[in-house]
Amino acid sequence: MPLLVEPQALIRLLDLAGIGVFALSGALMAVRLRQTLVTACFFALVTGVGGGSVRDLLIGAPVFWVQDGAIAAVCIAIALIVWLTPERWWQGQLLEWADAVGLAAYAVFGTAKALAWGVPPVPALMMGVITGCVGGTIRDILAGVPSIIMRPEIYVTAAALAAGLFLTLLWLGAGTPVAAVAGAVAGFILRGLAIRWSLALPAYRGPRESR
């Protein structure tokens, strides 16, 4: 049964999903570090819009959240919810899973937006990876914790899978809704497996020194 969703509506939903869950992960990081409400709002905003802002600057598009005041309001509202609710609601690996949702959804959205602005497929894939990964990287740097992209655990690869599968299915003639959902789900599953079982790519060890 075909998906009864307009392509632009689905892409917009992916955009909002990525922003919302990244904002959530930023706010969670701030409260776990026992920061102030202002800091939690700031973390939510920069994490939610960081990747998309870098993407827009690179492809020459207007920075999206500057043009849409509701986005900043949503990020701040999410920070307020996290701040005002019991800490037990946000325990466990929720930060990691929220980040995984944002990574996959935003990688697809970033790729789609780059294509819409005339970027060729391979650079568009890179824009998708940047969109999905940069917000979380900024969050980790601000928090003073080791960034996930500096560890061998699968992260950037999951964003690349989401963006790459989206592009591949578009090339094969699948509609945008099917390609977008398949790409986002595949990226989320791969990242989820990495979270659950600590899957990682081999780290560089260098050539063995001759004795």
Side-chain angles (χ1 to χ4, degrees):
M1 180 178 178
L3 292 174
L4 301 178
V5 181
E6 290 294 329
Q8 291 304 316
L10 181 59
I11 293 298
R12 176 62 173 168
L13 286 174
L14 287 172
D15 182 25
L16 294 175
I19 293 168
V21 293
F22 270 139
L24 174 62
S25 74
L28 286 174
M29 178 70 78
V31 298
R32 288 181 181 182
L33 294 173
R34 296 295 188 263
Q35 296 298 312
T36 66
L37 175 59
V38 173
T39 303
C41 292
F42 179 73
F43 266 55
L45 180 63
V46 298
T47 308
V49 305
S53 297
V54 173
R55 174 206 62 225
D56 287 349
L57 291 171
L58 289 173
I59 67 176
V63 178
F64 70 105
W65 66 277
V66 178
Q67 309 297 317
D68 185 353
I71 291 174
V74 167
C75 292
I76 293 171
I78 288 172
L80 286 170
I81 291 170
V82 172
W83 181 268
L84 295 172
T85 50
E87 185 177 0
R88 66 178 182 276
W89 290 13
W90 311 106
Q91 292 176 346
Q93 291 185 308
L94 182 60
L95 190 154
E96 289 78 9
W97 286 104
D99 188 85
V101 174
L103 177 76
Y106 233 22
V108 171
F109 175 78
T111 305
K113 182 166 184 178
L115 289 174
W117 277 79
V119 177
V122 173
L125 186 150
M126 297 297 102
M127 292 302 102
V129 172
I130 287 170
T131 306
C133 296
V134 168
T137 302
I138 295 172
R139 176 199 64 218
D140 293 343
I141 291 172
L142 290 174
V145 301
S147 174
I148 184 64
I149 66 170
M150 298 303 295
R151 304 199 301 269
E153 183 179 329
I154 290 174
Y155 189 79
V156 176
T157 305
L161 173 63
L165 183 58
F166 172 68
L167 284 170
T168 300
L169 290 175
L170 285 182
W171 180 69
L172 291 174
T176 299
V178 172
V181 170
V185 169
F188 174 74
I189 289 174
L190 180 58
R191 178 62 187 138
L193 292 174
I195 293 171
R196 179 63 180 83
W197 285 290
S198 300
L199 301 182
L201 298 176
Y204 176 73
R205 298 182 181 277
R208 293 183 179 178
E209 296 182 1
S210 59
R211 295 180 180 271

